[in-house]
Amino acid sequence: MGTMGKIRTMKIGDYEAVHALWLSCEGMGLNNIDDSEDGIKRFLERNPETCFVAEEDSKIIGAIIAGNDGRRGYIYHAVVSRSHRKNGVATKLVNAVLDALTEIGIVKVALVVFSKNESASAFWEKQGFTVRNDLIYRNKSLAEIVRIDT
């Protein structure tokens, strides 16, 4: 990764630093169950080869988590520290995820961006992700979830 350090797979020991990055990112939507340390631990156990962090001088400066259902890949919570944005870190993280998903046979990837998060939408468009106007996203909570909006 040149002067920006290296990209490696995420481990649960990275949680505290990654969670702090998520909290620092305006427009990130988190919740107290899925994004708790236990929730991320379960996610990493199911998806050990498709979640990555970017490091510089042993400090985590970016992260991305992705998983799959055997047919499609799903990207969640891509983040880069403010001081390292616009240096290609996010693109390298996305490429690591896309390569890892391709390696395990996934041929289509989806993600969700909050409609008010214009900078994220612009980034994902530059990465080649298109908007689907033919879908309505729906979800249903099976537990009481507290959203943590940043």
Side-chain angles (χ1 to χ4, degrees), residues 4-147:
M4 288 297 112
K6 68 175 185 171
I7 292 189
R8 64 168 174 78
T9 55
M10 183 177 168
K11 307 294 181 212
I12 194 58
D14 300 322
Y15 176 79
E16 189 175 312
V18 170
H19 191 257
L21 269 179
W22 290 339
L23 291 174
S24 75
C25 183
E26 187 175 311
M28 179 76 63
L30 303 173
N31 71 58
N32 67 324
I33 296 175
D34 299 335
D35 303 314
S36 68
E37 188 168 1
D38 285 341
I40 296 302
K41 181 177 185 231
R42 284 191 309 275
F43 192 87
L44 292 174
E45 287 170 353
R46 289 182 56 93
N47 305 282
E49 68 280 348
T50 58
C51 301
F52 297 91
V53 295
E55 288 183 314
E56 182 180 62
D57 300 324
S58 300
K59 182 181 179 196
I60 293 175
I61 59 169
I64 189 169
I65 61 173
N68 75 89
D69 62 11
R71 298 177 53 242
R72 300 282 188 262
Y74 302 92
I75 295 175
Y76 308 93
H77 297 348
V79 65
V80 173
S81 69
R82 289 188 200 292
S83 60
H84 291 83
R85 292 183 187 165
K86 308 264 187 221
N87 289 319
V89 175
T91 298
K92 288 179 171 78
L93 286 165
V94 170
N95 288 339
V97 161
L98 298 179
D99 290 347
L101 289 168
T102 299
E103 181 74 23
I104 59 176
I106 302 300
V107 298
K108 192 170 185 180
V109 183
L111 56 90
V112 175
V113 177
F114 286 111
S115 58
K116 66 183 179 183
N117 194 338
E118 293 175 13
S119 63
S121 287
F123 170 78
W124 290 112
E125 189 170 318
K126 283 172 118 177
Q127 299 301 312
F129 285 77
T130 58
V131 173
R132 295 277 310 257
N133 293 316
D134 59 330
L135 300 174
I136 297 172
Y137 176 79
R138 297 180 186 268
N139 73 14
K140 181 177 182 175
S141 295
L142 302 177
E144 185 177 333
I145 295 175
V146 177
R147 271 193 43 170

